[in-house]
Amino acid sequence: MANPHRGEVQIRVGEKTYKLLFGTTAQCALEKTLKIPFAEIGKTMETVTGLRAVFWACLLRHSDHHGEFPTPDDVDDLMDEIGLYDVRTALVQAINSVVLKPSDGAKSKNG
């Protein structure tokens, strides 16, 4: 089961459940694969190629999918089955849950 407090988003396809996480693993994989800085990753989701790369990267962290999708090209069939709208919606949710909220473990300089 996905843990929303960690920024995980669950997406179900038939009998299988996938967890998406826009964590450090995904962020570094995207910088390396797309050869762009972190600040530009959101803009990549304006293209299907970029959307596919972000989806692939968000699948990398979980051992239940480890090795199932070695490259961004390997998520094409899964994306087609889910549909672009639902893929994008899940990714936005995963990204927002990590980027827009402070970490519970982080301490504020003011507090």
Side-chain angles (χ1 to χ4, degrees), residues 11 20-22 26 29-30 33-34 36 40-60 69 71-76 78-95:
I11 193 162
L20 305 175
L21 177 63
F22 188 67
L30 285 168
T33 301
L34 299 175
I36 59 171
E40 296 178 19
I41 290 172
K43 189 169 175 70
T44 66
M45 289 179 47
E46 294 175 4
T47 68
V48 176
T49 302
L51 190 69
R52 175 179 66 181
V54 175
F55 184 61
W56 164 77
C58 287
L59 287 166
L60 291 176
F69 307 108
T71 71
D73 293 345
D74 296 310
V75 299
D76 288 354
L78 181 59
M79 284 182 66
D80 289 342
E81 193 170 345
I82 296 167
L84 287 179
Y85 177 83
D86 290 337
V87 166
R88 189 172 194 293
T89 300
L91 289 174
V92 167
Q93 185 180 353
I95 291 167

Side-chain angles (χ1 to χ4, degrees), residues 1-10 19-21 62 93-94 96-98 101-102 104:
M1 175 167 276
N3 182 347
H5 300 292
R6 288 192 55 217
E8 295 175 342
V9 174
Q10 188 169 293
K19 291 180 201 168
L20 305 175
L21 177 63
H62 290 285
Q93 185 180 353
N96 285 346
S97 69
V98 171
K101 74 170 188 159
D104 292 339

